[in-house]
Amino acid sequence: MGDMPSEKRPAGPFTPLHFQLVLLRRMADHNPDLVEDARRELGVTLLEMREANKRWQAMLRSPRPRPAASRYRSVLGTPESTRARRIGDLDCEAWQWPLPLWPDLRFEVLVGERGAVWTEWLVRAPGAPSPALRTLDDLTPWSCTIDEAARAFAPARPLQGTAPTRWGLAFTAPDGGGVPRAVTAEFTWGLLQRTATTGTPGQTPSV
């Protein structure tokens, strides 16, 4: 008789390292070089990054998926901080976790009534200095979060993203010569990925 086929070994636990690979996988669409450097810093292969993303998608699409808030606690552990927050007329909790790849940032989940997750993105860590955002030249990939860009170039108008983890902003910002430009900025998991200048200088571009 020939050798019996070996059973596939069960995958190990999904860890914060795997979750960082999930974040990177989506960012690779816009900044493959930055993602490649980050992947090497984490000491993982391209295949491992793809496998981590595949496992994450399987968790999301499971016939009986775990609630999002519970899933994040399972993967990332107990939040580093939990704070009550009020947005408009609604109350929620902000859960934050550190990620070694971005020591000055935190992964934040806003949890509403009955554990509903409202937002999941990267934000600046408490006490960490925010970047100086004055001109287009300061808006480099991964340089700022979506809330930092919105504050620096107010008023900014939110734009619909091309995927659940992507957001956009439209605003006016001066170029290096001080000339106002209409800008669209794209963010993945709350972190800036790229910008484009469109429309008439000094006017916020239309959707």
Side-chain angles (χ1 to χ4, degrees):
M1 294 179 61
D3 293 337
M4 295 291 292
S6 59
E7 294 184 2
K8 185 176 180 180
R9 297 179 61 184
F14 200 91
T15 68
L17 171 61
H18 295 108
F19 183 67
Q20 290 175 97
L21 297 178
V22 170
L23 303 187
L24 289 175
R25 179 65 185 86
R26 180 66 73 179
M27 296 180 190
D29 295 339
H30 295 324
N31 293 292
D33 292 341
L34 286 176
V35 169
E36 178 72 7
D37 291 342
R39 181 178 62 77
R40 290 177 176 174
E41 181 180 337
L42 293 174
V44 299
T45 66
L46 181 59
L47 180 61
E48 287 173 319
M49 185 172 75
R50 289 173 176 168
E51 182 61 25
N53 188 67
K54 181 179 178 181
R55 290 178 62 188
W56 180 258
Q57 294 300 322
M59 284 190 280
L60 297 182
R61 298 169 183 172
S62 169
R64 296 181 178 179
R66 175 179 294 183
S70 175
R71 182 173 62 248
Y72 281 121
R73 278 185 173 270
S74 174
V75 170
L76 299 174
T78 302
E80 178 185 66
S81 66
T82 302
R83 295 183 176 88
R85 190 174 297 177
R86 189 170 183 81
I87 301 177
D89 296 330
L90 301 175
D91 294 317
C92 65
E93 282 191 341
W95 299 355
Q96 292 188 356
W97 291 268
L99 295 176
L101 192 57
W102 293 285
D104 289 341
L105 300 177
R106 293 293 182 268
F107 185 74
E108 180 180 82
V109 174
L110 298 183
V111 183
E113 187 178 359
R114 298 181 181 177
V117 169
W118 294 355
T119 305
E120 43 208 322
W121 56 12
L122 292 164
V123 298
R124 191 66 52 185
S130 296
L133 303 176
R134 299 185 180 89
T135 72
L136 277 173
D137 294 339
D138 299 319
L139 294 171
T140 57
W142 296 14
S143 63
C144 65
T145 63
I146 189 169
D147 60 318
E148 290 170 334
R151 289 196 304 267
F153 301 105
R157 181 164 53 88
L159 301 174
Q160 185 173 1
T162 57
T165 58
R166 289 179 177 165
W167 297 271
L169 284 179
F171 52 85
T172 298
D175 61 19
V179 178
R181 301 291 183 183
V183 181
T184 56
E186 295 183 54
F187 300 80
T188 299
W189 292 104
L191 195 61
L192 178 64
Q193 300 300 309
R194 63 181 180 179
T195 61
T197 55
T198 59
T200 303
Q203 293 183 349
T204 303
S206 59
V207 178

